[in-house]
């Protein structure tokens, strides 16, 4: 904070992630890093000598305050804030696109043209006319109780098979 004359820099949290393991942390310690928090996922729950499925949790909001993850790799940058997601289907029943929007925005409607834009590449955009709109976020657990009836394994299997046609 002193170097840049910005007092809030002193309290800034610096987080490092992306396949962090104990060797990486030891190396960073030797280099005298200023990192205050490490995101350790894959190597925390799996043995390094066995294959692991890399999964990512993207934090986008804390206490109603939007948060963003910055990265040199554009694909790893998050869009801050809570979102709603919808899958738009064509007239033959095939999924066309999944879209994200802010809560409170009018959801896409069947038969009404929707402008879909890529979040980071302005030139990638297209209009679609959905014949079916499916909300993708459905609360499963609310206030300590199951919020909706869950499908059986047979129903899940059938839905997956139908979606792959």
């Amino acid at each position: 904070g002193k170097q840049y004359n910005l007092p809030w820099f002193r309290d800034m949290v610096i987080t490092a992630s992306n396949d962090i393991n104990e060797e990486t942390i030891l190396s960073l310690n030797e280099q005298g890093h200023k990192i205050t928090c490490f995101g350790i996922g894959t190597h925390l729950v799996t043995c390094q000598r066995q294959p692991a499925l890399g999964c990512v949790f993207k934090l986008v909001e804390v206490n109603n305050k939007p948060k963003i993850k910055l990265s040199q790799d554009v694909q790893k940058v998050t869009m801050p804030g809570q979102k709603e997601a919808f899958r738009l289907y064509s007239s033959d029943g095939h999924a066309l696109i999944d879209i994200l929007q802010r809560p409170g925005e009018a959801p896409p409607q069947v038969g009404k043209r929707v402008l879909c834009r890529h979040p980071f590449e302005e030139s990638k955009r297209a209009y679609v006319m959905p014949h079916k709109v499916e909300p993708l976020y459905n609360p499963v657990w609310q206030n300590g109780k199951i919020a909706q009836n869950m499908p059986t394994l047979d129903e899940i299997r059938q839905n997956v098979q139908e979606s792959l046609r």
Side-chain angles (χ1 to χ4, degrees):
K2 291 178 187 176
Q3 181 178 352
Y4 297 103
N5 196 24
L6 297 170
W8 56 271
F9 257 42
R10 184 177 57 248
D11 300 323
M12 186 179 293
V13 174
I14 301 171
T15 303
S17 66
N18 196 10
D19 286 332
I20 301 287
N21 60 29
E22 58 189 314
E23 290 175 13
T24 304
I25 294 172
L26 289 172
S27 174
L28 288 167
N29 286 343
E30 290 172 2
Q31 298 171 50
H33 70 83
K34 301 292 183 194
I35 298 167
T36 53
C37 179
F38 290 97
I40 302 173
T42 304
H43 297 292
L44 181 66
V45 296
T46 61
C47 175
Q48 286 189 9
R49 290 189 172 84
Q50 295 177 353
L53 172 63
C55 295
V56 178
F57 172 79
K58 303 280 185 165
L59 181 69
V60 295
E61 190 169 287
V62 175
N63 297 327
N64 296 318
K65 292 182 181 177
K67 302 295 177 185
I68 188 170
K69 175 186 176 183
L70 299 175
S71 174
Q72 291 176 333
D73 184 351
V74 173
Q75 294 174 331
K76 292 185 177 185
V77 174
T78 60
M79 293 181 291
Q82 185 179 358
K83 291 168 259 329
E84 292 180 353
F86 298 91
R87 181 161 294 149
L88 308 183
Y89 291 88
S90 65
S91 59
D92 63 1
H94 287 92
L96 294 171
I97 192 167
D98 293 345
I99 63 168
L100 296 175
Q101 61 185 50
R102 294 184 183 135
E105 291 182 324
Q109 295 180 11
V110 171
K112 290 197 175 181
R113 199 166 76 149
V114 178
L115 175 60
C116 302
R117 294 182 236 184
H118 190 280
F120 302 113
E121 296 183 39
E122 183 61 30
S123 63
K124 288 188 176 182
R125 54 173 63 190
Y127 281 101
V128 297
M129 180 88 69
H131 288 263
K132 176 184 169 189
V133 176
E134 176 186 8
L136 296 180
Y137 291 166
N138 297 307
V140 173
W141 192 262
Q142 282 182 323
N143 302 320
K145 296 182 179 177
I146 295 176
Q148 59 179 301
N149 292 331
M150 301 304 294
T152 66
L153 287 177
D154 286 335
E155 290 170 331
I156 294 170
R157 183 181 301 110
Q158 182 179 349
N159 288 338
V160 170
Q161 288 173 342
E162 287 175 9
S163 73
L164 295 175
R165 289 184 189 157

